[in-house]
Amino acid sequence: MEALDPLLLSRMQFAFVVSFHALFPVFTIGLAAYIAVLEALWYRTDSPVYRRLSEFWIKIFAVVFGMGVVSGVVMSFQFGTNWSEFSFATANFLGPILSYEVLTAFFLEAVFLGILLFGRDRVPRGTHLFAACMVAIGTFISSFWILSANSWMQTPQGFEFRDGIVHVTSWAEAIFNPSLWPRFGHVALASLLTGGFVVAGVSAYFLLRNRAVEMNRKALSMTLWLLLLVAPAQIFMGDIHGLNSFEHQPTKVAAMEGAWETREGAPLYLFAIPDSTAETNHLAVGIPNLASLILTHQWDGEVPGLKEVSAEERPPVGIVFWSFRIMVGIGVLMLLVALWGAWLRMRGRLFESRAFLNTLQLMIPLPFVAVLTGWFVTEIGRQPWLIYGQMTLAEGVTPSLTGWMALATLIGYVLVYAVIFTAGLYYVTRIVRTGPEGVGSVEEPAHAKRPFSAADVPFDDDPDFSTSSR
């Protein structure tokens, strides 16, 4: 055995890259939908408020979209460098699926993104609105194909192995596999929640500083209506997704619940310290029968435990158990904040409550945390399977890969991504601090541009820094 395990390092590398990348699409999907709504309202009402809001959020969208594209390119490399056995075995299915994503979504986004970013006042207003809608629809189509591929790895159907190679026997069963729609709905709603809480938090930031008050009141009011609808819908969809996992991946659900023994009337643990070695939970605090009620809709329903499978076929229980609770806890907090906003609206104090506005600011990072922890539950919960029940992680790794190779590339990705994330976060912060007041103040030169040009905020001309340095 090598001193450095290439399998473990490859898993760490892929987890790092995907975790980093996942933050950007989930935000841009929600933000693209919001921009399309603003463009539609601007088209219908002719109110400059909607136009300026759209112009402001398009700047942020341009930067985040670019970061998402850059960070996602690396993932395709890893299929070849780290997971060549898996790529070779599944190319008959995953190759076409990823090609469909490029043909139906990426091209759609690429064609209309330029019009959205640089076509203002250069194309008819209806054409600009159409471009905004196409970009928003393209982000959802893209997520559909990616989630179809991922869901197939979770609940594989419509194929058979011949000499270790996947051959599709039914494209409909493979694409629309049993966990696709619950997973797609869960991610789509998570994207709307992420975009909504970021817009609400930034609007609250401006209102607390009395900047562009009318515009940000409009943005906050719109977003809170959205959150009031989407937050409970996400909890409902999460329950559907959980029931689907219970049917097709009971071991993952057993890890989520910290259930070691198969039992009727299983409790829902609010707190526990799972111990995989002793196969038990320490300091467990639970509500009797609640897990059975949620998962089987019966008070004494049977919930399979982790001991139904061998120890080698169990995921890391502690990570899955606590990731699930963090995700659910944030989801409940989102619902409470949305209800708080509705209560303040009824009392006519929505824009005056500093406690509420400060809370919205603090909520900005939480949807991203929920997305990451949800992804941990999904991906770590299916281990040790790469294709659930069909191919393990050890069977999919590149045979010639050494531990040193995997370690070197992992360090390289961490360093490069740290630079990308720091620069991107700094630049988005600059755009927010500049605020919607400065929208449209920069005359755009008439030559070809890159997407980042749509932000039109100087990267190295920080007014606060300049002031403090004098």
Side-chain angles (χ1 to χ4, degrees):
M1 181 178 178
E2 293 186 58
L4 297 174
D5 184 358
L7 175 59
L8 176 61
L9 289 168
S10 294
R11 292 166 60 186
M12 293 171 61
Q13 186 180 117
F14 201 80
F16 170 76
V17 171
V18 177
S19 297
F20 184 90
H21 171 71
L23 298 175
F24 303 114
V26 77
F27 178 40
T28 52
I29 292 170
L31 190 56
Y34 177 61
I35 290 170
V37 171
L38 291 173
E39 288 292 326
L41 291 170
W42 154 240
Y43 182 84
R44 181 174 177 79
T45 67
D46 208 29
S47 170
V49 170
Y50 297 119
R51 169 174 171 150
R52 295 186 67 187
L53 276 173
S54 177
E55 290 174 338
F56 172 69
W57 284 105
I58 283 176
K59 292 174 184 292
I60 295 177
F61 177 83
V63 176
V64 179
F65 186 87
M67 293 173 68
V69 171
V70 171
S71 61
V73 170
V74 175
M75 288 192 300
S76 58
F77 296 156
Q78 288 187 303
F79 284 116
T81 57
N82 296 59
W83 305 101
S84 63
E85 290 292 314
F86 166 74
S87 301
F88 182 73
T90 60
N92 286 336
F93 174 68
L94 293 184
I97 290 295
L98 297 179
S99 298
Y100 299 154
E101 193 262 340
V102 172
L103 290 173
T104 60
F106 192 75
F107 282 175
L108 187 69
E109 294 171 291
V111 168
F112 290 100
L113 184 64
I115 300 174
L116 176 65
L117 299 184
F118 306 114
R120 179 84 67 188
D121 297 329
R122 294 189 174 89
V123 298
R125 195 188 294 185
T127 303
H128 198 258
L129 168 61
F130 183 73
C133 294
M134 289 301 100
V135 171
I137 292 172
T139 60
F140 281 103
I141 294 176
S142 178
S143 64
F144 169 84
W145 289 115
I146 297 299
L147 291 172
S148 175
N150 181 268
S151 297
W152 179 82
M153 294 165 65
Q154 305 276 349
T155 52
Q157 279 199 359
F159 78 102
E160 62 184 17
F161 273 114
R162 297 178 201 158
D163 299 324
I165 305 296
V166 167
H167 289 266
V168 178
T169 56
S170 170
W171 282 99
E173 290 182 8
I175 293 172
F176 301 100
N177 56 79
S179 66
L180 170 64
W181 291 119
R183 198 180 312 281
F184 179 76
H186 200 43
V187 172
L189 292 173
S191 300
L192 295 177
L193 282 173
T194 303
F197 270 103
V198 172
V199 172
V202 172
S203 301
Y205 167 85
F206 288 125
L207 289 175
L208 285 167
R209 288 154 183 81
N210 205 31
R211 293 175 55 184
V213 172
E214 181 189 1
M215 197 184 316
N216 286 294
R217 283 189 173 189
K218 182 70 72 177
L220 181 59
S221 177
M222 290 173 59
T223 310
L224 288 177
W225 282 121
L226 170 74
L227 297 177
L228 192 60
L229 294 173
V230 175
Q234 179 67 309
I235 293 175
F236 176 71
M237 183 57 71
D239 180 59
I240 293 176
H241 191 22
L243 294 176
N244 181 274
S245 298
F246 182 65
E247 179 181 356
H248 298 282
Q249 296 177 300
T251 305
K252 176 191 288 186
V253 174
M256 291 160 59
E257 300 297 338
W260 296 95
E261 305 283 350
T262 297
R263 59 183 292 187
E264 298 177 350
L268 177 68
Y269 292 116
L270 303 177
F271 180 90
I273 302 176
D275 185 337
S276 296
T277 304
E279 298 183 334
T280 188
N281 297 321
H282 302 294
L283 303 175
V285 178
I287 301 175
N289 297 80
L290 190 54
S292 288
L293 184 62
I294 293 173
L295 293 171
T296 68
H297 293 179
Q298 295 178 9
W299 188 249
D300 292 321
E302 182 178 280
V303 176
L306 288 158
K307 292 183 179 178
E308 291 292 323
V309 298
S310 65
E312 291 74 23
E313 295 184 12
R314 299 172 194 164
V317 181
I319 299 175
V320 177
F321 180 86
W322 279 108
S323 294
F324 178 67
R325 272 144 191 80
I326 293 171
M327 178 189 68
V328 172
I330 292 175
V332 172
L333 183 59
M334 288 177 177
L335 177 61
L336 293 176
V337 170
L339 292 173
W340 186 8
W343 181 73
L344 289 172
R345 191 193 295 270
M346 287 190 297
R347 294 173 61 89
R349 296 183 56 241
L350 181 60
F351 306 116
E352 283 73 36
S353 173
R354 296 186 67 84
F356 181 66
L357 297 178
N358 279 312
T359 300
L360 287 177
Q361 287 190 107
L362 297 174
M363 288 291 294
I364 290 176
L366 294 189
F368 297 100
V369 176
V371 168
L372 284 180
T373 51
W375 183 79
F376 292 162
V377 172
T378 298
E379 299 304 313
I380 299 175
R382 72 171 166 184
Q383 291 186 23
W385 300 106
L386 197 47
I387 305 173
Y388 198 78
Q390 303 290 332
M391 173 184 280
T392 65
L393 289 157
E395 292 170 334
V397 75
T398 301
S400 60
L401 186 70
T402 67
W404 288 108
M405 290 178 184
L407 179 62
T409 50
L410 173 59
I411 293 173
Y413 289 144
V414 170
L415 294 176
V416 171
Y417 278 34
V419 173
I420 293 174
F421 188 79
T422 303
L425 188 61
Y426 168 79
Y427 196 47
V428 169
T429 305
R430 287 290 316 280
I431 296 173
V432 171
R433 283 162 52 191
T434 301
E437 302 96 320
V439 168
S441 61
V442 178
E443 186 176 350
E444 299 178 12
H447 56 73
K449 307 175 182 73
R450 297 180 297 275
F452 270 32
S453 305
D456 70 22
V457 173
F459 188 89
D460 56 354
D461 184 22
D462 190 331
D464 290 349
F465 177 78
S466 301
T467 302
S468 61
S469 63
R470 285 198 289 269

